[in-house]
DNA sequence: AATGGTGATGAGAATCTTTTTCATTACAAG
DNA sequence: CTTGTAATGAAAAAGATTCTCATCACCATT
């Protein structure tokens, strides 16, 4: 993941793009909103406009560098696409996110699409639950 | 599905609530946005404000009468919860929506949650693809 | 049937996220 | 360096949803 990836995407290597890619690589949070990215950049004294953050994230998504997720909450979160596809497990109390891949489910999805005459191109699977943290349990 | 359901939800039986429930029952589209509901009501000369549509749909959701789905597009769609849970298959070209239930996937999801120390309370599975319609195929 | 309390409604303002506009700036090819 | 074009920032606009608040309607009680 470096400037070559930006070039390969047919995009000029500009400061905002480099900084945003860097940030996605180094951030402790794997899943960040556009607003998160914007604020993190401000904290690093990088004066990059919010509109540019949105533009760049959308371009990175189109280039396959980044994945956009629509968790609940009315806003999108982005994550660097480190090779493998995966799905998400989200704690409805604390918001903790874990990732997983399950070949059984992946295979069944394709089969189901075919059974319905569809050709699958993508999917979104999010499991909501209470995580292991005692504070996140009811009762 | 009738006024008793509204009462059971702890809500007063009012004209907007009755009309919206009726509409959800009789609509040919099972998956409608708040805006859709609002416009359909206007077409029927029911003067119900958009804010009320949002309020009522949210209340119906809390009461378990209605399910809210976040397909792609930045807005929510609602559907009457006719008994069973199901997941969705959405055509990325024409927007056609089909529903399905797969016991294999349902079971695996619960297992995956447990393997990660989560207790599943809900999930969202949307398969995106090209439907059977020739117009919706690439190449 | 009239009354009153509480919850519900409608209109518009407000909020929140994301996109667009447009004048200015910065890549990168020559 | 010069220069064409793509990229940027600020602000406005757009789109979806929620909030505010004055008014209204349901419904239990007279
Ligand atoms: Zn938790
Ligand atoms: Zn992830
Ligand atoms: Zn399911
Ligand atoms: Zn459905």
């Amino acid at each position: 993941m470096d400037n070559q990836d930006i070039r390969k995407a047919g995009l000029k290597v500009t400061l905002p793009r480099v900084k945003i890619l860097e940030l996605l690589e180094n951030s402790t949070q794997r899943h960040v909103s556009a607003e998160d990215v914007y604020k993190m950049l401000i904290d690093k004294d990088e004066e990059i406009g919010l509109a540019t953050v949105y533009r760049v994230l959308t371009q990175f998504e189109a280039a396959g560098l980044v994945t956009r997720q629509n968790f609940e909450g009315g806003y999108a979160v982005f994550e660097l696409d480190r090779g493998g596809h995966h799905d998400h497990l989200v704690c409805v109390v604390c918001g903790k996110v874990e990732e997983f891949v399950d070949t059984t489910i992946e295979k069944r999805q394709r089969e189901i699409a075919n059974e319905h005459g569809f050709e699958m191109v993508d999917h979104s699977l999010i499991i909501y639950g209470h995580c292991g943290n005692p504070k996140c349990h009811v009762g």
Side-chain angles (χ1 to χ4, degrees), chain A:
Chain A
M1 280 297 168
D2 63 350
N3 296 355
Q4 288 312 317
D5 294 297
I6 297 177
R7 277 214 182 75
K8 270 187 277 183
L11 301 168
K12 279 190 187 174
V13 177
T14 61
L15 195 138
R17 290 180 181 142
V18 171
K19 289 299 175 190
I20 291 173
L21 192 53
E22 259 179 43
L23 192 153
L24 291 171
E25 285 180 306
N26 303 331
S27 167
T28 56
Q29 304 175 55
R30 280 181 51 58
H31 306 87
V32 292
S33 68
E35 190 76 29
D36 290 339
V37 171
Y38 176 66
K39 285 184 182 149
M40 287 165 133
L41 289 168
I42 294 289
D43 286 348
K44 297 191 173 195
D45 291 310
E46 299 292 348
E47 297 290 326
I48 294 173
L50 182 55
T52 299
V53 172
Y54 274 103
R55 272 188 296 240
V56 169
L57 288 173
T58 300
Q59 291 157 347
F60 282 1
E61 185 193 13
L65 292 176
V66 150
T67 300
R68 181 192 305 247
Q69 304 285 338
N70 291 299
F71 293 169
E72 289 182 345
Y75 58 90
V77 297
F78 299 82
E79 66 175 323
L80 201 56
D81 192 349
R82 292 182 162 82
H85 157 82
H86 59 259
D87 294 301
H88 297 98
L89 206 45
V90 180
C91 177
V92 294
V93 180
C94 69
K96 178 179 175 184
V97 179
E98 293 205 13
E99 307 184 335
F100 69 89
V101 182
D102 185 79
T103 52
T104 306
I105 290 182
E106 295 293 326
K107 208 177 91 189
R108 270 308 284 150
Q109 287 181 122
R110 224 167 218 98
E111 289 169 7
I112 290 163
N114 292 340
E115 285 164 14
H116 287 258
F118 279 60
E119 188 184 342
M120 178 168 109
V121 296
D122 194 11
H123 68 262
S124 161
L125 169 56
I126 304 165
I127 300 178
Y128 295 98
H130 296 281
C131 76
N133 189 328
K135 288 183 180 168
C136 296
H137 274 275
V138 267

